């Protein structure tokens, strides 16, 4: 076993949030930071994969929220890294809805179904609001009478409206703040290139490789012992790391799993908040063909398969705009369908996807030559794709998840109050956590100066009362009064709780 190494801060996770937190700390003089990453790469849910001779994005694919009143910081990073991106226009997708016999629904029917689905969604939203405020009432009746999707086209549109993207509830703050445009990243260097570029500004690199020994790969954190004196972190390979603080930037799915044990255990209000957040599983399945057989051209990038089973191979995209001649299709599955395909063989998934495509484009289309099925749910370092707070959430759940506990700080996209679920949410959450920790380090310094001064003043008094038999250390520790760090740097303002005094074991 390695002997424990001590640093100021340990950051668990080298995704966008862990890295942006590290950047804030290191650039503000807290250089003895250790970043422990379970996998062998940075990026987490930003992850490229070689497929069909190209680099495709298994995780985040779009920069969402561009063209609004504020500039999206991830868009800025993309510009700085010269990332190749393409504007995605989803508005035509609803006019490319195929039934199981390969006919495209007339645009009038599609528009009507879409309008009905939006109205029904609005009714449901009002019902949830009414339920949470007044316990229902007239709106409840209205919502009950509003139609539940039944036909394949209704089910398909309902899936697009509710399951396809949209990690935030309405109104979508990303769109409000940064704009409604979305850009697909289609760059051989991958979306992750912007992270390498950012990390290169504060970590040591050589020939484009991150070689800083503060960044440690294949370090799966399994146990976190914490007290008012700091943290001891144990990794699966038997290493032990000590620090004054830890930033935990692992996903909400990992927090919900039992991968990391806390000693003492987290208090109940924290674990309850963690369990309340939904985890969306979002799976992009890639298929490579010998030639293309789907329509291309303006307004044809996205198409929809209407099936009687909700979410069954519903949403499709061709890659011809971004990579002409690539002959690659992507189909998106979510939640239960994602979990179902993760549990079966890729051969079975290929058969199902080909079935959907043959329904839409006929029996003579060629067989796919390759398939890639990411498994975000079964990945123990992710356990899902992104957080999804209940539509009507007063923000308390996210604030409870984010609230620091003594020396443990929480970060990650799921701690972003306005942009949870997105890359920019993770990026901004990391910056916020880094700044909160800097403030706490500063306060801790002030506290120890104060306590040193008190010792200095007390010494003559101790001499007079004949207590000089006490050592200086005894005197100092008796003065500290065991005041732990303030729990809430944000969130429960005005009601700081002293975590180490009430840990519910
Ligand atoms: C399929 C998919 C599609 C998406 N599409 C988009 C999109 O188009 N646009 C968008 O903006 N966002 C999208 N997202 C969401 C976006 O990718 C995330 O919000 C963001 O990348 C999260 O960053 P993070 O740093 O919070 O977490 P992560 O990237 O998950 O980083 C956490 C890190 O912690 C590590 N870790 C976990 N457990 C341990 C442990 N025990 N010890 C040590 N390390 C550990 C993980 O390996 C990981 O590297 C998508 C996500 C997925 C999965």
């Amino acid at each position: 076993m390695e002997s424990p190494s001590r640093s100021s801060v340990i950051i668990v996770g080298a995704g966008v949030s862990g890295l942006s937190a590290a950047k804030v700390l290191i650039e503000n003089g807290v250089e003895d930071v250790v970043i422990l990453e379970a996998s062998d790469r940075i990026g987490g849910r930003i992850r490229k994969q070689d497929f069909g001779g190209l680099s495709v994005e298994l995780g985040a694919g779009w920069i969402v929220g561009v063209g609004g009143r504020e500039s999206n910081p991830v868009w800025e990073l993309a510009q700085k890294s010269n990332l190749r991106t393409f504007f995605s226009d989803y508005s035509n997708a609803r006019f490319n809805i195929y039934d199981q016999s390969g006919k495209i629904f007339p645009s009038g029917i599609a528009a009507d179904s879409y309008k009905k689905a939006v109205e029904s969604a609005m009714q449901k939203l009002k019902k949830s609001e009414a339920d949470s405020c007044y316990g229902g009432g007239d709106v409840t009746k209205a919502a009950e009478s509003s139609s539940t999707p039944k036909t394949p086209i209704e089910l398909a549109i309902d899936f697009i409206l509710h399951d396809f993207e949209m990690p935030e509830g309405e109104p979508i703050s990303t769109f409000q703040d940064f704009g409604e445009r979305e850009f697909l990243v289609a760059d051989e260097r991958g979306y992750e290139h912007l992270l390498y570029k950012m990390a290169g500004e504060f970590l040591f690199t050589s020939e484009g490789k991150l070689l800083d020994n503060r960044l440690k790969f294949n370090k799966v954190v399994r146990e976190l012992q914490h007290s008012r004196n700091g943290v001891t972190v144990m990794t699966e390979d038997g290493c032990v790391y000590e620090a004054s603080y830890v930033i935990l930037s692992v996903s909400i799915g990992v927090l919900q799993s039992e991968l990391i044990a806390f000693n003492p255990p987290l208090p109940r209000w924290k674990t309850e908040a963690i369990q309340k957040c939904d985890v969306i599983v979002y799976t992009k399945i890639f298929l490579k063909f010998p030639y293309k057989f789907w329509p291309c051209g303006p307004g044809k990038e996205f198409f929809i398969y209407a099936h009687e089973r909700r979410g069954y191979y519903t949403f499709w995209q061709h890659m011809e705009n971004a990579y002409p001649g690539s002959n690659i299709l992507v189909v998106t599955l979510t939640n239960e369908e994602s979990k179902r395909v993760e549990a079966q063989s890729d051969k079975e998934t290929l058969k199902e996807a080909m079935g959907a495509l043959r329904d839409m484009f006929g029996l003579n289309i060629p067989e796919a030559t390759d398939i890639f099925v990411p498994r975000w749910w079964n990945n123990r370092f992710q356990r899902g794709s992104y957080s999804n707070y209940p539509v009507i959430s007063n923000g308390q759940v996210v604030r409870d998840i984010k609230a620091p506990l003594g020396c443990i700080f929480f970060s990650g996209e799921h701690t972003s109050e306005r942009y949870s679920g997105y890359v920019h949410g993770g990026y901004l959450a990391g910056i916020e956590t880094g700044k909160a920790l800097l403030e706490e380090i500063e306060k801790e310094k002030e506290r120890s100066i104060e306590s040193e001064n008190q010792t200095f003043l007390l010494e003559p008094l101790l001499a007079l009362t004949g207590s000089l038999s006490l050592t200086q250390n005894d005197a100092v520790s008796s003065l500290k009064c065991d005041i732990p760090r303030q729990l809430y740097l944000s969130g429960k303002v005005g009601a700081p709780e002293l975590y180490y005094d009430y840990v519910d074991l």
Side-chain angles (χ1 to χ4, degrees):
M1 188 190 276
E2 252 177 48
S3 63
S5 64
R6 175 109 195 166
S7 53
S8 287
V9 183
I10 292 170
I11 297 176
V12 183
V16 62
S17 61
L19 290 173
S20 61
K23 180 175 158 70
V24 169
L25 292 171
I26 292 173
E27 289 183 349
N28 284 281
V30 183
E31 294 192 2
D32 60 333
V33 164
V34 168
I35 308 170
L36 302 176
E37 167 54 47
S39 70
D40 58 1
R41 45 174 289 281
I42 64 164
R45 283 170 272 171
I46 298 176
R47 173 175 203 140
K48 68 171 185 170
Q49 169 73 36
D50 290 337
F51 178 79
L54 288 179
S55 164
V56 295
E57 300 297 336
L58 302 184
W62 281 269
I63 299 169
V64 183
V66 179
R69 59 175 187 217
E70 283 175 46
S71 179
N72 183 329
V74 172
W75 181 243
E76 283 173 14
L77 289 175
Q79 305 287 334
K80 227 162 106 184
S81 337
N82 267 329
L83 215 60
R84 187 169 168 262
T85 57
F86 285 84
F87 172 62
S88 279
D89 182 6
Y90 292 110
S91 63
N92 289 307
R94 75 187 79 146
F95 302 118
N96 303 323
I97 307 180
Y98 291 82
D99 69 13
Q100 281 174 265
S101 66
K103 284 198 218 72
I104 292 194
F105 282 93
S107 58
I109 295 182
D112 276 355
S113 298
Y114 192 81
K115 201 167 147 243
K116 222 164 95 186
V118 171
E119 277 164 8
S120 164
M122 294 313 290
Q123 293 278 10
K124 279 186 192 140
L125 190 68
K126 281 191 192 145
K127 177 189 176 312
S128 320
E129 271 167 355
D131 282 351
S132 66
C133 296
Y134 317 109
D138 287 352
V139 195
T140 314
K141 281 188 208 124
E144 273 159 10
S145 65
S146 77
S147 54
T148 1
K150 285 182 204 81
T151 64
I153 188 169
E154 286 168 358
L155 288 164
I157 288 174
D158 190 68
F159 170 84
I160 307 302
L161 278 179
H162 298 290
D163 291 36
F164 184 74
E165 292 215 349
M166 302 305 166
E168 295 172 5
E170 293 279 351
I172 297 164
S173 24
T174 287
F175 290 172
Q176 284 184 323
D177 297 350
F178 301 129
E180 295 190 10
R181 288 158 71 87
E182 301 189 22
F183 284 82
L184 176 75
V185 176
D187 192 305
E188 281 301 312
R189 299 166 299 174
Y191 206 140
E192 65 187 39
H193 176 66
L194 59 81
L195 292 184
Y196 279 94
K197 186 104 174 134
M198 177 177 90
E201 288 169 10
F202 62 94
L203 293 175
F204 176 68
T205 57
S206 176
E207 295 171 2
K209 289 203 171 82
L210 285 170
L211 297 177
D212 199 304
N213 60 14
R214 290 171 294 182
L215 173 59
K216 302 189 184 302
F217 292 116
N218 303 309
K219 294 289 176 191
V220 183
V221 171
R222 295 305 307 266
E223 190 176 341
L224 210 152
Q225 289 174 1
H226 54 115
S227 71
R228 61 175 64 89
N229 298 320
V231 285
T232 304
V233 169
M234 268 79 84
T235 53
E236 205 158 67
D237 58 357
C239 293
V240 179
Y241 300 85
E242 289 177 349
S244 305
Y245 301 94
V246 62
I247 293 180
L248 209 47
S249 80
V250 301
S251 69
I252 186 75
V254 169
L255 289 178
Q256 288 175 353
S257 76
E258 288 179 354
L259 186 63
I260 303 175
F262 293 85
N263 189 1
L266 298 177
R268 200 169 304 123
W269 61 265
K270 180 65 115 180
T271 51
E272 277 176 7
I274 288 171
Q275 296 304 333
K276 270 185 200 157
C277 180
D278 285 343
V279 175
I280 297 284
V281 193
Y282 180 98
T283 313
K284 293 185 278 184
I285 298 173
F286 296 84
L287 294 151
K288 170 88 177 170
F289 293 92
Y291 56 88
K292 65 174 187 286
F293 50 83
W294 50 86
C296 286
K300 298 284 179 203
E301 184 178 359
F302 302 102
F303 54 95
I304 293 166
Y305 174 55
H307 191 271
E308 63 265 15
R309 183 146 130 208
R310 190 177 180 284
Y312 187 79
Y313 297 89
T314 308
F315 197 86
W316 293 80
Q317 178 187 11
H318 70 64
M319 301 286 284
E320 294 302 309
N321 292 5
Y323 292 118
S326 59
N327 302 330
I328 290 177
L329 284 179
V330 189
V331 59
T332 300
L333 268 54
T334 63
N335 302 328
E336 291 318 309
E337 282 298 301
S338 291
K339 289 178 187 170
R340 191 181 65 76
V341 300
E342 279 198 25
Q344 69 188 16
S345 70
D346 290 358
K347 208 170 145 207
E348 194 58 35
T349 305
L350 177 62
K351 203 169 128 203
E352 289 175 357
M354 286 308 306
L357 287 170
R358 290 203 166 104
D359 279 355
M360 288 188 277
F361 300 111
L363 297 175
N364 295 329
I365 61 169
E367 187 73 13
T369 52
D370 203 357
I371 183 168
F372 195 96
V373 185
R375 285 176 165 78
W376 292 104
W377 177 246
N378 280 300
N379 180 338
R380 69 183 180 128
F381 307 145
Q382 297 299 343
R383 302 297 293 165
S385 301
Y386 44 79
S387 63
N388 182 247
Y389 286 95
V391 177
I392 306 293
S393 164
N394 58 11
Q396 193 55 51
V397 178
V398 61
R399 284 196 289 275
D400 282 349
I401 292 177
K402 165 169 116 172
L405 283 175
C407 55
I408 312 175
F409 282 64
F410 294 82
S411 197
E413 54 83 7
H414 53 281
T415 66
S416 168
E417 279 188 52
R418 280 189 78 70
Y419 316 116
S420 58
Y422 292 112
V423 172
H424 53 274
Y427 175 76
L428 291 170
I431 291 180
E432 205 181 312
T433 313
K435 285 183 178 165
L437 182 48
L438 281 177
E439 250 178 61
E440 170 58 16
I441 291 172
E442 219 28 65
K443 277 191 205 148
E444 181 62 39
K445 261 191 218 156
E446 283 164 19
R447 280 195 289 266
S448 56
I449 291 171
E450 232 169 71
S451 112
E452 266 168 33
N453 287 346
Q454 276 173 322
T455 318
F456 179 71
L457 290 172
L458 202 67
E459 263 174 8
L461 190 70
L462 292 173
L464 280 176
T465 56
S467 308
L468 269 180
S469 52
L470 277 179
T471 65
Q472 182 157 323
N473 277 348
D474 289 337
V476 173
S477 61
S478 66
L479 278 170
K480 272 190 184 163
C481 310
D482 277 352
I483 299 171
R485 295 177 184 98
Q486 185 180 321
L487 220 193
Y488 287 79
L489 292 181
S490 56
K492 293 180 168 171
V493 186
E497 289 171 60
L498 304 177
Y499 175 54
Y500 293 116
D501 287 346
Y502 78 92
V503 167
D504 47 351
L505 293 165

